[in-house]
Amino acid sequence: MTQMLRGAKYLATETDTLKLTESEAEVTFVGRSNSGKSTLINALCEKKNMAHVSKVPGKTRTINVYEVKPYRWIVDLPGYGFAVGSKSGKAEFGPMIEAYLTSRNNLCMVFVILDVVAGPTKLDISMINWLRQHAYLFYIIVNKIDKFGASKLEVRKKEISGQLALAPADIFWISSKNKIQIEPLQKQIAKLLDV
């Protein structure tokens, strides 16, 4: 695996996005609770416990920032399965996530993480539609592909990509746990952060 992200370290935890300082470049990970965001960040940065992985889904309820190089960040947002939706018609995935996305000047890319077994949930579709509507650059990552054998995985890829109206080749298919296809994603993030 590439060592481009190995220098990453924990930088900050915040509940108010306005208290975050400015970065020169940052990418962020969003996904429903239990999609494996923290495990993925650890795998990408080749760390065991940099991002805290909890056995309780939805434990990440803060904005967690990891610095790859000075002012170049990977940001882990709260899982939106546990976020409280706004009754005023704003995005369903929670005010903290929306506040972060709408206030970061140097946000290069949003990575939306889906669970291969659950597929795109209603909240995932809401998130993706919101990103499209507001013209954000984003990639889809489907995690936990180790749960399927090769032939069943090919069927699942067609199902999920069809639901998202994307080609299978336009989606990252990975296993954080078994480090499957992590390197292409590492390279993409390193390129975005210019490290």
Side-chain angles (χ1 to χ4, degrees), residues 1 6 10 26 43 62 69 72-73 91 104-105 117-118 128 143 175 193:
M1 290 207 303
R6 191 177 279 179
Y10 167 80
E26 61 195 81
T62 53
K69 282 194 172 178
R72 298 184 184 279
W73 298 352
R104 303 306 295 167
N105 295 323
V117 177
I128 292 164
N143 195 11
S175 166
L193 295 179

Side-chain angles (χ1 to χ4, degrees), residues 1-7 39-48 173-190:
M1 290 207 303
T2 181
Q3 297 182 14
M4 297 173 184
L5 305 179
R6 191 177 279 179
T39 304
L40 174 58
I41 289 170
N42 286 332
L44 287 167
C45 299
E46 301 178 46
K47 309 278 185 182
K48 280 191 175 180
W173 305 92
I174 66 160
S175 166
S176 303
K177 180 183 173 185
N178 294 351
K179 311 292 191 293
I180 299 169
Q181 288 297 306
I182 290 291
E183 191 166 351
L185 186 54
Q186 284 178 314
K187 287 179 177 176
Q188 183 62 57
I189 292 168

Side-chain angles (χ1 to χ4, degrees), residues 56-71:
V56 181
K59 196 72 175 175
T60 303
R61 298 193 190 189
T62 53
I63 299 164
N64 296 308
V65 181
Y66 306 94
E67 189 171 62
V68 179
K69 282 194 172 178
Y71 305 104

Side-chain angles (χ1 to χ4, degrees), residues 151-167:
S151 59
K152 287 186 176 178
L153 179 59
E154 286 310 306
V155 172
R156 192 67 181 131
K157 283 183 177 181
K158 287 178 184 174
E159 289 171 351
I160 291 174
S161 56
Q163 287 174 291
L164 298 172
L166 291 169

Side-chain angles (χ1 to χ4, degrees), residues 60-119:
T60 303
R61 298 193 190 189
T62 53
I63 299 164
N64 296 308
V65 181
Y66 306 94
E67 189 171 62
V68 179
K69 282 194 172 178
Y71 305 104
R72 298 184 184 279
W73 298 352
I74 292 172
V75 180
D76 184 9
L77 294 179
Y80 45 67
F82 282 75
V84 179
S86 168
K87 293 180 181 176
S88 63
K90 290 189 177 180
E92 293 177 45
F93 43 82
M96 191 187 301
I97 297 172
E98 187 174 3
Y100 168 84
L101 292 172
T102 56
S103 67
R104 303 306 295 167
N105 295 323
N106 294 313
L107 178 60
C108 308
M109 186 67 64
V110 179
F111 290 94
V112 182
I113 305 178
L114 309 182
D115 181 313
V116 71
V117 177

